[in-house]
Amino acid sequence: MPPRVRPFVVGVVAVAVTLPLVTAPARATADVPRTGFETSHGAHWTSAPDEQRFLAAVDRSSDRMEVRRIGSTARGRPLQLVRIGAHRGTDVILLVCGQHGNEPAPREACLLTIRALARDESRATRALLAHITVLVIPTANPDGRAADTRTNSEGTDINRDHLALRSAEAGALAAVIRDRHPDVIYDMHEYDATVPSYDDDLMTLWPRNPNTPAAVHREARLLSDAYVRPAAAAAGFGSGHYGIWTDQVTGHALRQVAGDGEERILRNMAGIKNAVGLLVESRADPIGDTEKAHPVFGYRRRVATQLAALKGVWGYAERRRGQLEAATRAARAAGLEGRGPIYLGGADNDPATPAQTLADPPCGYRLTTAQYTAVRARLDLHGITVHRTTGGAFVTLRQPERALVPLLLDARAGYPLTAGRPSVDCLRPGAR
């Protein structure tokens, strides 16, 4: 089977990718750090030691990159954050790679993207990084990656832990979001197709949680459908919406099998925290007889799909930076005003019921000392403002992540940390 040639862009660096071989950047020489995936010509995924050597080598070769440890897994493996580009004061794009340890292609794409953005000297790349800081968590689930499991070593699905933050991995990511306030949170995964109604090369989905601010929701849909999916299409990859089976003749939706508004999922938590979130899933199962007989062909396609989709992120950042900044800043300010309903359930395509709607939310929630002690660390990881009181603590809704507070503390929410007491007495935070 002759290789197919699909040109696309890593960051803003033109790269020719010949499938089934993923090549290095055009300026590659012997001193360019290579991933284990590259040195094996796509036959093997990059090992944890190879990842550490690769990141250290890229860091040494670039004056615009920083790698730091942001935590440790239960097995002691490092959780790392890579920063590329400008410092504080710029828009921030966060790439989260491989929350599920048995989905390795996103991690490989992220490592290649780190190298491209850190080392490219073109005017276009420098212009992009003058206004955008790119943060990358290259391996969001190191224990799961080592074991080739969806969950971490404690059996936790990290992508169902972004509310409770019981895992070290979700907690470390929450702290990054709290401290850096990313404008875009791009969450990279893989999925298994259901032929013929659900089998595109790439699937995307925005935050469906109804607490996502309207302008943020609009930007997330634009990122998906006007940038990421067209970028994949330009490279020859088909795309669709995650969780929606479609009729192959009419293109109409048949049914929704995943992708609701649940607040524990990262793309939804991104919207609740006023960021433009996007879930991206490349197809993991083999396509055709060649990939079934020779898995390496599929490995290379999966990484190439993720890299092609990333081109859309950089195009979006270049063209809609002003609208992105306006949407996320306005959303954070609106939380401080404390107006409007809050939804304890539902989705953008499944309206919340009256029982799931706080039409007139309380001004805050009161916690006993015991309750506050139990949830204090996780409230802090979320960046929730808390006022200490003589009887425990008062958590006001007048804060940027206003909608998150009831999801954490209202007994009627789907997954509350504790059942706080709703309060209408906002003038006296210390009242019993």
Side-chain angles (χ1 to χ4, degrees):
M1 179 179 179
R4 293 172 293 170
V5 178
R6 287 172 174 165
F8 60 93
V9 172
V10 179
V12 291
V13 188
V15 178
V17 175
T18 302
L19 294 182
L21 174 63
V22 178
T23 66
R27 73 188 196 95
T29 60
D31 67 335
V32 173
R34 304 290 184 116
T35 66
F37 183 77
E38 289 179 297
T39 58
S40 71
H41 300 287
H44 303 290
W45 305 114
T46 301
S47 68
D50 280 345
E51 176 183 336
Q52 296 306 311
R53 285 191 289 269
F54 174 81
L55 290 176
V58 177
D59 191 16
R60 287 193 299 270
S61 70
S62 173
D63 61 358
R64 67 180 81 133
M65 172 178 161
E66 174 189 61
V67 183
R68 67 183 181 92
R69 190 167 183 154
I70 56 174
S72 301
T73 69
R75 296 289 177 87
R77 292 186 173 91
L79 293 163
Q80 293 178 295
L81 178 72
V82 177
R83 178 191 59 79
I84 308 167
H87 294 276
R88 297 182 186 275
T90 61
D91 296 333
V92 176
I93 294 175
L94 171 63
L95 308 183
V96 182
C97 319
Q99 286 197 76
H100 294 145
N102 59 350
E103 299 171 5
R107 170 175 174 257
E108 301 295 343
C110 284
L111 292 174
L112 295 174
T113 297
I114 287 169
R115 182 183 63 198
L117 291 175
R119 290 173 59 94
D120 183 60
E121 299 298 336
S122 72
R123 181 180 301 176
T125 297
R126 287 194 170 276
L128 177 71
L129 295 177
H131 302 288
I132 299 290
T133 297
V134 178
L135 304 177
V136 186
I137 299 179
T139 306
N141 182 3
D143 289 351
R145 178 78 287 277
D148 193 29
T149 57
R150 178 181 176 88
T151 63
N152 69 3
S153 59
E154 298 175 300
T156 299
D157 184 336
I158 298 169
N159 204 29
R160 299 298 183 274
D161 191 38
H162 294 292
L163 187 81
L165 304 181
R166 298 189 186 279
S167 66
E169 296 89 347
L173 176 53
V176 170
I177 296 171
R178 175 197 64 195
D179 296 340
R180 296 307 307 263
H181 304 292
D183 300 278
V184 174
I185 299 176
Y186 187 84
D187 185 23
M188 300 164 65
H189 289 261
E190 296 194 89
Y191 84 104
D192 288 324
T194 301
V195 180
S197 56
Y198 191 56
D199 60 352
D200 283 310
D201 298 307
L202 186 81
M203 296 287 187
T204 67
L205 195 62
W206 50 88
R208 286 198 181 276
N209 189 280
N211 294 299
T212 304
V216 171
H217 183 269
R218 181 175 63 250
E219 290 299 318
R221 291 208 63 168
L222 279 170
L223 173 60
S224 167
D225 292 349
Y227 290 90
V228 169
R229 292 182 61 197
F237 298 113
S239 66
H241 291 144
Y242 179 74
I244 306 295
W245 288 12
T246 58
D247 185 284
Q248 297 304 294
V249 176
T250 66
H252 295 156
L254 295 174
R255 62 176 171 144
Q256 182 170 328
V257 296
D260 58 15
E262 185 183 314
E263 58 268 27
R264 299 184 302 167
I265 300 170
L266 181 58
R267 66 175 166 80
N268 287 321
M269 182 57 71
I272 294 167
K273 290 185 174 181
N274 308 310
V276 171
L278 192 66
L279 171 75
V280 177
E281 304 248 1
S282 54
R283 178 174 173 175
D285 53 311
I287 300 175
D289 293 338
T290 300
E291 290 189 6
K292 290 176 182 178
H294 305 284
V296 64
F297 288 82
Y299 298 167
R300 294 163 179 168
R301 169 187 52 80
R302 289 154 61 182
V303 175
T305 305
Q306 293 280 353
L307 288 169
L310 276 165
K311 177 182 177 181
V313 178
W314 316 130
Y316 172 84
E318 289 176 318
R319 295 178 181 87
R320 292 196 64 82
R321 186 164 54 87
Q323 294 91 332
L324 169 65
E325 183 174 318
T328 57
R329 303 301 187 273
R332 292 164 190 155
L336 296 170
E337 297 177 2
R339 298 175 183 173
I342 294 175
Y343 304 100
L344 303 179
D348 62 1
N349 62 346
D350 182 21
T353 65
Q356 295 172 315
T357 304
L358 300 179
D360 186 18
C363 65
Y365 292 83
R366 298 193 181 278
L367 305 178
T368 66
T369 299
Q371 286 178 311
Y372 178 58
T373 299
V375 302
R376 177 180 181 177
R378 286 175 284 169
L379 293 178
D380 180 66
L381 286 170
H382 278 301
I384 298 297
T385 299
V386 178
H387 301 283
R388 293 302 309 271
T389 69
T390 54
F394 174 75
V395 185
T396 178
L397 264 66
R398 287 185 175 269
Q399 50 186 303
E401 288 79 21
R402 174 176 177 262
L404 179 58
V405 175
L407 297 176
L408 293 167
L409 302 178
D410 197 296
R412 296 163 290 181
Y415 307 94
L417 300 184
T418 190
R421 178 165 61 88
S423 175
V424 296
D425 189 0
C426 293
L427 298 179
R428 296 190 302 141
R432 292 182 182 272

